[in-house]
Amino acid sequence: MKNVVLEIVGWFVLVQGVLGAGGLLFGDGAWGVVHQYWDLSVAAYLVLLAVGIALVAVVEKGKADRRRG
């Protein structure tokens, strides 16, 4: 159950990083939910993207290790 929550949080953070950076780079402002609470820079959104990727990768690696035995 803990891994499922971590995976959901990872995907959420990843998507918010993509939306925030994409909105600042290609639009008139950040997209997503995070910009409603914090005013972040493109670099901060890219850090969110990296953290999301890392969380999802760790959970997926754990799934693969459990499948192998």
Side-chain angles (χ1 to χ4, degrees), residues 40-56:
L40 301 176
S41 65
V42 174
Y45 281 112
L46 293 176
V47 168
L48 285 177
L49 172 64
V51 168
I53 289 171
L55 281 172
V56 171

Side-chain angles (χ1 to χ4, degrees), residues 52-69:
I53 289 171
L55 281 172
V56 171
V58 166
V59 171
E60 289 296 324
K61 176 148 179 28
K63 284 181 186 177
D65 290 345
R66 281 191 301 275
R67 273 183 256 156
R68 280 191 217 124

Side-chain angles (χ1 to χ4, degrees), residues 16-49:
Q16 291 304 308
V18 169
L19 289 174
L24 289 175
L25 291 172
F26 304 112
D28 57 350
W31 303 322
V33 175
V34 174
H35 76 89
Q36 295 179 2
Y37 300 102
W38 298 286
D39 186 25
L40 301 176
S41 65
V42 174
Y45 281 112
L46 293 176
V47 168
L48 285 177
L49 172 64

